[in-house]
Amino acid sequence: MQMNDTKLGRLDELLATTNRFSLETLDGLFCAALVGPAEVDVHDCMAVLEEQDDALPWPSDTVRDEVYGLLNEFWAVIAARVAGDPRVMAEDSLPFVDSPEEFDEIEDVSTYDGDFPLASDWALGFRFALNEWGEEWSEWTDESLYPFIGMLMTLTADQTEPTPDMPPIAPPSFEERMNLLNEIPFQLATLYRRRHPQHGQPVRRDGDKAGRNDTCRCGSGKKYKKCCGKQD
């Protein structure tokens, strides 16, 4: 499932000119809604979109309907992506994130030495969902989710105000951001399969096989040999 660049550009333009979330932030919000424990859909996410304090009214009902139609298409794209296997989809499994303009002139992006906040808005969008449906996420969160929550906090370090309970987090380097971005599809795949266990076994990288007595990564709490390991 894909949206062409014309539609994506049009949606981005309409959201930007009315002071609403960027496509990157929406991607994070939609991903969280699709892989998380709350029973929500695209309409619930649209309601979050409309709750923004500085959002401007839609220029017309026609424009609003156009945006909502495009948002439904965007939702379908992300739904197909998080349900897929990132090992098979490769780069197509990555979220929509902005990249530095300089990338167009660089042959090897690993040589980039700037401080562009790659994937920061995506992680912020995901955190919006954690706040919006906090009760469901709080009940669902266990130690297995701590590394992913840590990723979100690290990626949004440049947008997070320190509090007495949370000391400031140093923003990651661009290389660290790239590594975290490449990790996102695998984290989402694991969350999706925890949320939809009938969809299949947890996605593992090659060489990352769970031990027979390890806790199963599907989130059941059982040992691997008594859960998904039965199918090996």
Side-chain angles (χ1 to χ4, degrees):
M1 181 86 188
Q2 293 183 343
M3 283 179 73
N4 61 44
D5 290 342
T6 300
K7 287 186 175 182
L8 288 170
R10 176 63 173 164
L11 178 57
D12 192 36
E13 174 192 1
L14 292 171
L15 294 172
T17 55
T18 55
N19 293 338
R20 287 174 169 81
F21 295 150
S22 66
L23 286 183
E24 179 177 334
T25 308
L26 272 178
D27 193 308
L29 176 66
F30 283 8
C31 281
L34 285 158
V35 305
E39 293 288 349
V40 298
D41 57 22
V42 63
H43 301 291
D44 298 305
C45 291
M46 289 175 185
V48 175
L49 189 70
E50 297 300 346
E51 290 171 2
Q52 290 180 261
D53 293 336
D54 57 348
L56 300 174
W58 297 112
S60 68
D61 290 348
T62 301
V63 170
R64 180 202 60 205
D65 292 345
E66 179 186 3
V67 170
Y68 280 20
L70 291 170
L71 285 172
N72 274 293
E73 287 191 51
F74 193 59
W75 172 274
V77 168
I78 295 175
R81 192 180 72 212
V82 298
D85 186 338
R87 296 168 301 182
V88 175
M89 299 175 69
E91 291 186 0
D92 289 337
S93 68
L94 293 171
F96 290 99
V97 296
D98 290 331
S99 58
E101 292 182 2
E102 297 92 321
F103 269 24
D104 293 336
E105 304 171 2
I106 297 177
E107 292 186 6
D108 182 1
V109 297
S110 66
T111 62
Y112 176 76
D113 58 2
D115 58 357
F116 187 86
L118 188 74
S120 177
D121 282 349
W122 183 90
L124 191 65
F126 203 104
R127 289 182 61 185
F128 285 155
L130 299 187
N131 292 332
E132 185 70 21
W133 299 291
E135 183 176 347
E136 291 89 341
W137 276 94
S138 179
E139 293 176 355
W140 205 51
T141 299
D142 56 25
E143 291 184 1
S144 69
L145 287 182
Y146 292 169
F148 181 62
I149 300 297
M151 284 176 55
L152 298 176
M153 299 299 294
T154 300
L155 286 170
T156 55
D158 58 318
Q159 303 187 57
T160 303
E161 294 290 336
T163 65
D165 337 345
M166 184 182 300
I169 302 174
S173 67
F174 187 79
E175 181 179 1
E176 290 170 330
R177 286 186 178 279
M178 284 287 290
N179 290 335
L180 291 176
L181 172 62
N182 289 324
E183 176 68 16
I184 285 173
F186 292 94
Q187 294 288 336
L188 293 179
T190 299
L191 288 173
Y192 186 85
R193 283 156 181 77
R194 175 178 175 179
R195 178 69 177 80
H196 305 279
Q198 74 282 2
H199 189 75
Q201 295 185 26
V203 171
R204 299 191 299 269
R205 296 171 185 73
D206 294 337
D208 191 22
K209 185 176 177 63
R212 299 287 293 168
N213 291 309
D214 290 347
T215 301
C216 190
R217 298 175 187 179
C218 71
S220 66
K222 300 177 182 179
K223 288 186 177 181
Y224 177 72
K225 65 183 180 183
K226 294 184 177 181
C227 191
C228 295
K230 290 181 177 179
Q231 304 174 37
D232 287 353

